[in-house]
Amino acid sequence: MPVSRRSLIATSALPLVLIAALAACTSEGPREAAPAPDEVATPAPEWNTSPDSVAAIGDSITRAFDACSLLSDCPEASWVTGTDTAVSSLAQQLLGEATAERSWNLAATGARVADLPAQAAEAVRHEPELVTVLIGANDACAADVASMTSPTEFRAALTEAFGVIREELPETGIYVSSVPDLMRLWEEGSESFMARTVWQMANICPSMLSDASDDGVSAGERRAEVRARVQEYNTVLEDVCTADELCRYDGGAVFDFRFTPSHLSDWDWFHPSREGQSELAALAYEQITTDQPAEPVAPRVD
């Protein structure tokens, strides 16, 4: 039976097709598919070194309690939102004349970390470009060491507060200060009769400052336990902040700051004075406005 010209061409072309297919499979292998549009890597969000609005959450330190007068808040001297030019607050340095209109102090005297989520909810209503966090001293300053907030509880409340902020303000920066070294408070004031008297009469931070003149083994162990708890809080603050791309932790700068009696309130020898508030503002401004976040500070050897 004669073979048609078309059949002959198709038959002779078949080996060529097989050879081409084999070459494709045995050379470089199958090409990878181009990534889908939603798989393309997006650039990491950038830290804003010049935010145009600031909200502060935290405790009495941010309220500048006892900085101006006995047993009262003095927000005009706050390290974050203060308008007192002697303090040169963070907001003054960032916002200038707009400080009063573009900054909000939502901290509360006596607040613990458990109060932070509610403060965060207040902060997001103002839609700030920066939220500052300073919390933890009251969690350690309990009636006794057994009553201090546990690190697990501290982490849970802090994480919740971050979630509140991020749900509404995904592009807002968060600046987190370390908890001050409460042991240094005792070191700076324990030799002062006035400081010891005020601490005792006002029942200030009893876990650390009660029986301030007692330098026995038991008292020393108690104070060391409080200091260790503060360091645990700072580890949590760093961990939670590091997990957020738009958060900066101060690297332990506040904890490590070598404050003196001049940095403490004349009224209670515990809260920052105007000078102490000014130092907090300077530390924050330096770290917020730099292009690179702070490196962790090496633990101090006393």
Side-chain angles (χ1 to χ4, degrees), residues 200-267:
Q200 196 69 29
M201 291 182 64
N203 197 35
I204 296 174
C205 197
S207 59
M208 174 63 76
L209 302 177
S210 65
D211 302 318
S213 60
D214 184 355
D215 58 0
V217 173
S218 179
E221 290 175 346
R222 167 173 55 85
R223 296 182 193 115
E225 190 170 348
V226 176
R227 188 175 195 262
R229 182 57 54 88
V230 168
Q231 290 174 307
E232 289 179 307
Y233 294 162
N234 285 337
T235 296
V236 171
L237 289 166
E238 182 176 14
D239 288 349
V240 175
C241 185
T242 300
D244 188 296
E245 291 183 304
L246 287 178
C247 181
R248 281 192 179 182
Y249 175 63
D250 75 355
V254 169
F255 177 85
D256 240 42
F257 180 66
R258 305 289 288 184
F259 58 81
T260 66
S262 67
H263 297 112
L264 302 177
S265 167
D266 292 334
W267 304 101

Side-chain angles (χ1 to χ4, degrees), residues 103-157:
S103 67
W104 305 276
N105 194 325
L106 305 169
T109 293
R112 294 190 176 197
V113 71
D115 301 304
L116 212 59
Q119 292 185 14
E122 282 290 319
V124 300
R125 293 190 179 99
H126 297 283
E127 300 184 352
E129 291 193 356
L130 176 69
V131 175
T132 66
V133 179
L134 175 49
I135 197 73
N138 292 320
D139 294 273
C141 285
D144 50 51
V145 294
S147 302
M148 295 187 295
T149 303
S150 73
T152 300
E153 293 171 324
F154 195 91
R155 184 182 296 273

